[in-house]
């Protein structure tokens, strides 16, 4: 039997700034904790990462609209990436707090004594932090009705953007007393992360152009109108090109690069959400 299709492409309107803020705070927090582990950053940075993830969780509860029913998000861990994401966030908050407490003399009694215990707690927190950065991409990629999101590359893109944003936050807080050795290392890797994100973004958009009419329309939306301005100027130019230039040639104003990266990272999440276009559906 032949079907008639609705040929009008409809953009999703359910998710916007609130969810973008949640993904931003959680992603930056998770990425920052990973940088803490990788580069042995001060305990205060780990505490900051924990606070950001908690803030993201609060924003998510507000986004859900019914805070007292937020626990239901945990009910389907075997079938829902949202449930898995809530589990990863919860695990990170618990083990991230324990890891941070172990570095504070007045709170170290909360953690079993010994380096092995701290390393184990740090490993669990680190794995949880990694999945905190990954799971938003899996949530969106599990939406077959929006082909622009339905890509295995999206979780990777979210994770690398989270790491880049975390490096931007390190740049921003560096004047507050971060050791020069730490800053130089993060500056080096921050530059690499910017280049990687530029490459991944270009690859993602190129793949999307060949993923059907709805995905092609999403790419068009990212290049025209107000969303195009936010993406091309905010995400690409302000969020990556300008910071890369600062990292390479003007390290004395590295805090400016950090601010630009963070703004671009927030806009990246917003643009990905708002560019989503539903695939045409059958009318009969």
């Amino acid at each position: 039997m032949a079907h008639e299709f609705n040929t009008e492409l409809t953009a999703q309107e359910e998710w916007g700034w609130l969810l973008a803020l949640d993904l931003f705070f959680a992603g930056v927090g998770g990425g920052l904790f990973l940088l803490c582990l990788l580069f042995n950053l001060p305990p205060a940075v780990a505490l900051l990462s924990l606070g950001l993830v908690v803030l993201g969780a609060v924003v998510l509860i507000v986004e859900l609209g019914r805070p007292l029913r937020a626990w239901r998000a945990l009910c389907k861990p075997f079938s829902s990436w949202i449930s898995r994401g809530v589990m990863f966030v919860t695990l990170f908050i618990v083990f991230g707090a324990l890891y941070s407490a172990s570095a504070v003399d007045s709170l170290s009694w909360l953690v079993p004594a010994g380096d092995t215990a701290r390393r184990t707690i740090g490993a669990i927190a680190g794995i949880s932090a990694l999945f905190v950065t990954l799971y938003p991409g899996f949530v969106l990629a599990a939406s077959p009705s929006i082909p622009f999101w339905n890509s295995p590359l999206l979780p990777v893109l979210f994770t690398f953007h989270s790491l880049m944003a975390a490096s931007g936050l390190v740049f921003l807080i560096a004047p507050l007393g971060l050791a020069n050795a730490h800053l130089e290392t993060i500056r080096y890797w921050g530059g690499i992360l910017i280049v990687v994100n530029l490459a991944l973004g270009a690859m993602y958009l190129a793949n999307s152009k060949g993923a059907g009419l709805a995905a092609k329309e999403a790419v068009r939306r990212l290049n025209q109108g107000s969303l195009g301005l936010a993406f091309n100027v905010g995400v690409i130019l302000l969020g990556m090109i300008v910071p890369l230039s600062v990292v390479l040639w003007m390290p004395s104003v590295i805090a400016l690069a950090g601010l630009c990266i963070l703004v671009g990272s927030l806009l990246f999440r917003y643009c990905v959400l708002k560019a989503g276009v539903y695939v045409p559906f059958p009318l009969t």
Side-chain angles (χ1 to χ4, degrees):
M1 177 180 177
H3 292 280
E4 293 183 6
F5 281 82
N6 171 31
T7 57
E8 183 178 345
L9 295 171
T10 305
Q12 74 83 22
E13 299 292 343
E14 290 81 9
W15 290 345
W17 277 113
L18 265 182
L19 185 60
L21 280 171
D22 162 47
L23 301 183
F24 172 73
F25 287 130
V28 176
L32 188 60
F33 190 83
L34 291 173
L35 294 186
C36 285
L37 293 182
L38 290 171
F39 302 113
N40 196 29
L41 298 180
V45 180
L47 280 171
L48 177 59
S49 73
L50 183 65
L52 287 168
V53 173
V54 170
L55 182 57
V58 171
V59 174
L60 178 60
I61 290 172
V62 173
E63 166 74 6
L64 291 174
R66 296 180 177 179
L68 295 179
R69 298 185 182 181
W71 61 271
R72 293 185 179 180
L74 282 166
C75 293
K76 299 179 180 179
F78 298 106
S79 60
S80 168
W81 270 106
I82 292 178
S83 292
R84 293 168 192 154
V86 172
M87 290 178 62
F88 296 140
V89 168
T90 303
L91 280 172
F92 173 72
I93 290 173
V94 172
F95 285 93
L98 289 173
Y99 181 83
S100 300
S102 67
V104 180
D105 291 339
S106 60
L107 298 175
S108 59
W109 59 272
L110 292 170
V111 182
D115 289 339
T116 301
R118 188 169 191 268
R119 282 197 296 267
T120 301
I121 291 170
I124 296 173
I127 293 170
S128 302
L130 175 61
F131 278 100
V132 167
T133 68
L134 278 167
Y135 94 86
F138 282 114
V139 170
L140 297 181
S143 304
S145 60
I146 299 181
F148 179 66
W149 295 347
N150 191 220
S151 167
L153 188 58
L154 191 57
V156 178
L157 191 57
F158 264 87
T159 294
F160 275 95
H161 255 275
S162 294
L163 290 170
M164 182 181 71
S167 70
L169 183 55
V170 173
F171 295 160
L172 187 62
I173 65 175
L176 300 179
L178 194 66
N180 286 334
H182 287 139
L183 180 57
E184 282 302 307
T185 302
I186 300 297
R187 184 167 72 89
Y188 172 78
W189 284 104
I192 291 176
L193 286 168
I194 292 172
V195 173
V196 169
N197 276 292
L198 283 168
L200 285 174
M203 188 186 309
Y204 190 87
L205 293 178
N207 288 341
S208 295
K209 286 182 179 179
L213 188 62
K216 190 173 182 179
E217 170 63 14
V219 176
R220 187 197 68 79
R221 286 168 58 83
L222 283 176
N223 285 283
Q224 295 183 13
S226 59
L227 196 62
L229 185 66
F231 183 73
N232 289 301
V233 176
V235 178
I236 304 298
L237 180 61
L238 183 67
M240 288 188 274
I241 302 299
V242 170
L244 183 60
S245 301
V246 171
V247 166
L248 292 176
W249 297 299
M250 295 178 287
S252 60
V253 290
I254 197 73
L256 174 63
L259 180 61
C260 290
I261 289 173
L262 289 171
V263 171
S265 182
L266 174 58
L267 288 173
F268 162 75
R269 287 156 173 81
Y270 175 76
C271 288
V272 168
L273 291 173
K274 297 305 289 184
V277 174
Y278 291 107
V279 69
F281 56 88
L283 295 174
T284 60

